[in-house]
Amino acid sequence: MRNFHKAVFAATCLLLTSCFDTTPTTSVPEATVKQSSSGICHDHTSSSYKRTKNFKAFDSLQACLDDGGRLPKSKTKQYDAAEQEALQEDRNFGYLHSKVGY
């Protein structure tokens, strides 16, 4: 009889534990690109991405730039160099493709 009471107690504890599961059933997806309140577009490679809390979310860097956002200063030089390399090799370069008219 004593084992029966232990089994009932254990089953009750298990049932109550599962009733109070606080794991969220839905999660908010992380934004691919965050446009900060100052208009800077931060993707996952930006050192400010995780720190940016007040933002407008975008699916792509292109969408953020099209909305009037700009790149962080640290990224502008990298993108300018990549653009020049692409132009020299006569090939398309992502978002700048629409900006330079190729």
Side-chain angles (χ1 to χ4, degrees):
M1 189 70 158
R2 190 174 179 109
N3 287 337
F4 174 76
H5 290 293
K6 286 182 181 179
V8 169
F9 179 75
T12 304
C13 288
L14 183 61
L15 179 64
L16 288 174
T17 302
S18 65
C19 290
F20 294 106
D21 184 15
T22 59
T23 305
T25 55
T26 59
S27 63
V28 177
E30 187 74 19
T32 302
V33 176
K34 297 176 179 180
Q35 185 183 45
S36 67
S37 57
S38 59
I40 302 171
C41 300
H42 298 283
D43 65 2
H44 290 285
T45 63
S46 170
S47 60
S48 299
Y49 181 83
K50 289 183 180 179
R51 292 190 309 256
T52 304
K53 303 298 180 199
N54 183 16
F55 63 90
K56 184 176 179 183
F58 291 92
D59 291 333
S60 68
L61 187 57
Q62 179 65 51
C64 184
L65 295 170
D66 288 346
D67 191 59
R70 63 180 178 83
L71 293 173
K73 288 181 182 177
S74 63
K75 298 287 182 187
T76 303
K77 289 180 183 178
Q78 294 171 359
Y79 276 80
D80 287 345
E83 176 191 22
Q84 290 304 314
E85 180 183 317
L87 291 173
Q88 289 171 356
E89 295 175 3
D90 196 30
R91 60 182 167 83
N92 181 3
F93 181 71
Y95 85 95
L96 294 174
H97 173 72
S98 63
K99 304 262 188 250
V100 295
Y102 282 89

